[in-house]
Amino acid sequence: FVLYLNKQSSAFFLSPPRIKDEPDEDGYYASPKEDSKPLKRPREEDDDEYKPKKIKTEDTKKSKKRKQEEEEVKCETKRAPEGDNKKKKQKKEEEQKWKWWEEERHPEGIKWKFLEHKGPVFAPPYEPLPENVKFYYDGKVMKLSPKAEEVATFFAKMLDHEYTTKDIFRKNFFKDWRKEMTSEEKSTITNLSKCDFTQMSQYFKAQTEARKQMSKEEKQKIKEENERLVKEYGFCVMDNHKERIANFKIEPPGLFRGRGNHPKMGMLKRRIMPEDIIINCSKDSKVPPPPPGHKWKEVRHDNKVTWLVSWTENIQGSIKYIMLNPSSRIKGEKDWQKYETARRLKKCVDKIRNQYREDWKSKEMKVRQRAVALYFIDKLALRAGNEKEEGETADTVGCCSLRVEHINLHPELDGQEYMVEFDFLGKDSIRYYNKVPVEKRVFKNLQLFMENKQPEDDLFDRLNTSILNKHLQDLMEGLTAKVFRTYNASITLQQQLKELTTPDDNIPAKILSYNRANRAVAILCNHQRAPPKTFEKSMMNLQTKIDAKKDQLADARRELKSAKADAKVRRDEKSKKTVESKKKAVQRIEEQLMKLEVQATDREENKQIALSTSKLNYLDPRISVAW
DNA sequence: CAGCGCACTTAGGAGGTTCTCA
DNA sequence: TGAGAACCTCCTAAGTGCGCTG
């Protein structure tokens, strides 16, 4: 079953249950028996460590003992006298007793004690085009300076992409390209439309093709070379453990590809040099040397953060980081904490729901807006919706940043009362479109919030994420808007799995059920994907197969019928046997048909839905394991 | 309490690799 | 065995949320 889960969540299967991982009163996270044993994480300094194949289980006695100890800690906490400060202090002490596999936990805020790494891998230097690949301006051959040529190749490589037809993209690109030109080039090249990149484009296409056509040995060689690079730079040592680094390669230069309608699309992402790089490692480690003839921007020793390398990117001026792989302790632990917070929310979510329902009646506008927004976040799993700088990014919104133009109120629609129609672009400019019936009070409140406002005005003008999260913090320690998404995603999976699966289903049916449960979550979270380019065709192929199977089935049935009739007349062993084999054939074909139909359903339902994001980030893996 | 910087999580697309089935 | 589908990994953009400052 582990195969159905993304490998990147694998840290979970290896993490010892530090507090009781037992089902609560509703059977939430009911674990199989084996699950209660602590699982040992192989810690040899092994090249394969990041994808451990064997999971050793610790001996049961020891685990029982540990469990008892943890239980005692818990009980003590429970018996502890009330009083916030004391409670908090005790909680901190309790936290300090937790272990990440027989290890001391760091004091709060400290992320590591020792960190050593080899530094980043820089993008390969630019290789000038061969002489025979020409660039034409206004129909005439033109030899570009290396710098201008490099930037031109970025554009040429994207020529087939829709991006290069967009006005903003072209404008931004041309502006930044001109900055890289010599004054001579600048005076000649004044119009992008007169630039002919086709030879460059063809050259790169030929290269891609050649790469595809390479022999097995050559491909193997490249693969080995990559593996060597990973071996050398892809790992670091953090607190006695060798850990895999997620992105040890510095992003190569290129043209910025924003998502959606991004005002900066096409701008030049400049090459990152060692002089841009900040190295973070521990004082007592071997500091990675900068490339010969270069210097780092800075070397620091900050153990309150998890990153190894950072630099400032030139498009938005934001900081980029090199951090560890999801299989690392530091990421896995954080991930686990996230799901534990979601589990804590489960315990008080009813109270919170009652509270926000009460708040819909509040005399204070601010409180009402907060309550309605929270209702949306809870019911529809919307994102928080931080403010963003206007004109710097694509125009997308979340809950708190919804504008009047993003919703439509229908007192009645499709035979239902109090319908709200949402239509806005969310993260990554993915459209959120949904029609939902809401409670009358919510509907009336929305009417109130929209009164005397322009379409481009904020729906929740007295609210932002910081106000909302401060309120949530008061309701439960560690509660923020995003916790609702995690909680509702995981609980939906659990409920759907329970509802959709029957123990005696066959395997394809169970897979379909699991995918359907996963799909319910993906729909809730609005995780979409572009339908595969060959979707229609592949669907048609499948349908042809199904039709053929159906014909085959009809034939087989007919044959069975005639065999039966035959057997009735002849009454001999041979004809009886024929009937039996024909029967089996019908059965087999029926099964095959069923399998195909299940496949078709699964694929059709999955056309525009991406299951991976929820699997990776929202579904507590323990639910899947338990199922 | 606004505004900003920083750190970290969540996201879809591209493109390569592996699997499946006729 | 080969084509096409499915899957996986990498890449990097785009979110969330916290803490500091004035």
Side-chain angles (χ1 to χ4, degrees), chain A residues 384-597:
Chain A
N386 285 314
E387 299 105 298
K388 344 197 277 171
E389 221 173 316
E390 224 173 302
E392 295 292 300
T393 55
D395 178 21
T396 61
V397 296
C399 186
C400 293
S401 48
L402 278 172
R403 299 191 296 262
V404 171
E405 58 193 320
H406 294 132
I407 65 169
N408 254 314
L409 300 183
H410 305 280
E412 216 196 302
L413 186 71
D414 309 332
Q416 282 179 291
E417 276 187 315
Y418 309 120
M419 294 286 277
V420 182
E421 187 183 2
F422 291 83
D423 193 352
F424 61 90
L425 297 181
K427 183 177 177 180
D428 291 316
S429 294
I430 298 290
R431 185 179 180 205
Y432 184 93
Y433 182 80
N434 201 358
K435 285 185 271 193
V436 266
V438 300
E439 295 183 44
K440 186 177 174 183
R441 274 225 165 76
V442 172
F443 196 85
K444 294 285 170 200
N445 270 319
L446 288 171
Q447 284 177 327
L448 183 69
F449 302 160
M450 288 164 82
E451 250 172 39
N452 303 318
K453 280 190 194 168
Q454 298 298 309
E456 64 276 13
D457 290 341
D458 283 342
L459 178 63
F460 303 115
D461 53 308
R462 314 272 171 102
L463 185 70
N464 61 35
T465 51
S466 147
I467 295 170
L468 179 63
N469 280 338
K470 227 164 259 160
H471 172 65
L472 292 175
Q473 192 62 239
D474 292 341
L475 298 178
M476 185 192 106
E477 202 191 329
L479 186 62
T480 61
K482 78 196 270 280
V483 179
F484 282 89
R485 236 166 115 81
T486 312
Y487 164 67
N488 280 312
S490 279
I491 198 80
T492 300
L493 179 78
Q494 169 154 319
Q495 285 160 353
Q496 289 292 306
L497 284 177
K498 200 169 177 184
E499 218 167 278
L500 296 174
T501 39
T502 329
D504 46 353
D505 281 343
N506 58 24
I507 299 290
K510 277 185 178 155
I511 293 175
L512 179 64
S513 303
Y514 185 87
N515 285 343
R516 281 189 162 155
N518 194 167
R519 199 136 55 224
V521 176
I523 290 168
L524 175 73
C525 294
N526 200 39
H527 291 142
Q528 298 192 25
R529 61 167 185 172
K533 280 186 191 93
T534 51
F535 185 85
E536 290 308 326
K537 206 179 122 211
S538 92
M539 242 11 238
M540 255 161 62
N541 286 349
L542 197 53
Q543 194 54 50
T544 325
K545 269 192 207 167
I546 289 174
D547 291 344
K549 222 15 112 188
K550 275 182 184 163
D551 290 346
Q552 204 187 337
L553 183 61
D555 288 346
R557 282 199 175 132
R558 223 172 296 127
E559 276 177 41
L560 173 63
K561 215 174 163 187
S562 72
K564 268 184 183 164
D566 200 35
K568 233 181 193 174
V569 182
R570 294 215 206 162
R571 292 171 182 279
D572 63 351
E573 272 309 304
K574 201 183 155 198
S575 56
K576 250 189 197 168
K577 262 191 184 160
T578 322
V579 171
E580 277 313 303
S581 76
K582 294 284 177 200
K583 236 185 212 165
K584 272 198 185 135
V586 168
Q587 263 176 18
R588 200 178 58 235
I589 296 166
E590 272 174 347
E591 249 169 54
Q592 287 169 341
L593 179 64
M594 206 249 339
K595 213 174 150 190
L596 283 175
E597 278 174 338

Side-chain angles (χ1 to χ4, degrees), chain A residues 270-284:
Chain A
R270 54 162 246 281
R271 184 178 288 273
I272 303 302
M273 301 304 285
E275 286 69 18
D276 301 312
I277 296 289
I278 302 174
I279 298 283
N280 192 31
C281 59
S282 54
K283 273 184 188 155
D284 53 348

Side-chain angles (χ1 to χ4, degrees), chain A residues 1-7 10 13 55 625:
Chain A
F1 180 75
V2 169
L3 296 177
Y4 282 96
L5 294 159
N6 213 304
K7 262 191 202 155
S10 64
F13 301 105
I55 298 172
V625 171

Side-chain angles (χ1 to χ4, degrees), chain A residues 248-273:
Chain A
F248 58 91
K249 288 180 186 157
I250 299 278
E251 297 173 15
L255 303 183
F256 176 74
R257 305 154 79 120
R259 315 237 168 99
N261 206 351
H262 197 117
K264 299 195 170 181
M265 62 165 90
M267 280 173 66
L268 175 64
K269 230 175 84 166
R270 54 162 246 281
R271 184 178 288 273
I272 303 302
M273 301 304 285

